Amino acid sequence: MSRPRRIPPPAPAHVTAPDSPTPAGPADTAPAAARTSADAGRETPHPVDASRPFGRILLFGVQHVLVMAATPISAIFLMSATLRLDAGLTVDLLSAAFVLSGLGSLIQSLGLWTFGPRLPFVMLPGGAPLVLFLAIADEHGLRVATGAVILTALFTFAVLPVFARLLKYFPPLVIGTMIVIVGVNLVKVGAGLVTGRPGEHGFADPGRLGLGLATIGFTVLGHLLLRGVLRQLSVMLGLIAGTVLALLLGDVSLGHLSQGGWLDVPRLVPFGSPRFDVLAALPLMLYSLASMAEATGQTVINAEAVGKEIDQRVAVPRTIRGDALVSALGGMFGMPLMVTSGENIGIVRVTGVRSRYVTAAAGVFLIAIGFLAPVTRAISVVPAAVVGGTAMVVFAVITVLGVQMLARCDLDRHTNTFICAVALALGLLPILVPDVYQGLPSTVRILLESGVAVGAFVAAFLNVLFHHVGPALAGRLSLRPDLRTEGNR
């Protein structure tokens, strides 16, 4: 599962065309004196649009896959453990997750009509949308949850033309508060995979708890002792080490590895035909507004990382359309919302390889993994406690990202502190006390029990109230004594 995307403060929009080449830096071109007359009138393509030797593209593409592969694995195992899906359905969902992640990466990297910004992006199942998907599924069933994904994708297309007007109501203060709530909620869910549910047989079993903590320990050791790309793979290596430990302890069943064929095709409508309930889909629709704001930040920061000027009014809608298109398709395969990830931007910065064809190659590899049944079956043997230990680390980073974002929001101002505190209190309430709203009607409960949606709405409402409505009212009230004085003269 992917971490929530880090959102920088909105940058000034560039006025150049989204795909027009920009002047290359000193590292990208030879000195002018060394150019031949044949090259004098030829424009050098921007590094993000430049092709590379086929072997290098494949190698760097595999690197992106290795770093990102833990996210779809964690997402699907979280779904499987929470919804208690059987092994066959889990394998089908894993296949769909990889195939759709690959397809989304191709669309965002290469572009398709008005979809995709043509930047080095990788797409993955979303973190916060997954929690909302699970909440809807628990309350209304999986058919309604998949219908909510499709409705949210259509809603995204519908509101995209007016998104620019709504963006100002989701500043970093609102998004940062929401991401903190997302992280806390996900850590709780990941911990549940380690301990099991209260009241169930084997809850807080010392063996499962030890396995989860050992997985975290392996991840910490990897991050401490390894360097370079291997250090970036410390989460995946910790998951592998935890699985090996579970195998040595006899907690892994390998019986179904030899069952089935070599190829696997994602199952269409695995939970049955989607059911469309607008009220049940409201939490996801509300989140999609914040997701569009996140996509804005991701597109801007990606363009900055590769040094390419973009027109935000063109590139950002292309990113959002790509997310919505793949999400609508994913809903037909039982998947939560798919989102463009910013995690791969770190790889771009470390390696200096800015070509979008590298992430396109990663997309091809992800699709191939999705169709190779032995690979997905091998992944499915990972114990829930190991996945939970890995997920706790990954999801806790989400909370840190939210704290980092809030640190840039001038919390020394009492108003900002008050907005953040109230939103956190109301957003964390249903997470810390799960049954707090059980006495309310189900249609109201589905909204209030989504701490992410409540936190985002409260933060956005208070932000408008204190930073927009309040100052305007204060300005009008301050004029009234003057107007009365003028009237008496």
Side-chain angles (χ1 to χ4, degrees), residues 382-472:
V382 182
V386 173
V387 177
T390 301
M392 287 174 65
V393 175
V394 174
F395 298 155
V397 174
I398 296 175
T399 306
V400 175
L401 293 176
V403 172
Q404 288 178 339
M405 187 173 299
L406 290 175
R408 301 195 301 266
C409 296
D410 191 16
L411 292 180
D412 290 335
R413 293 180 58 187
H414 177 71
T415 300
N416 287 348
T417 302
F418 183 79
I419 292 172
C420 182
V422 174
L424 285 176
L426 295 179
L428 291 176
L429 179 60
I431 298 173
L432 301 177
V433 188
D435 297 326
V436 64
Y437 298 122
Q438 65 178 357
L440 299 178
S442 60
T443 53
V444 178
R445 193 168 66 244
I446 187 63
L447 291 175
L448 296 179
E449 287 184 346
S450 172
V452 178
V454 170
F457 174 78
V458 171
F461 174 76
L462 294 179
N463 179 70
V464 172
L465 183 63
F466 283 99
H467 291 157
H468 297 272
V469 176

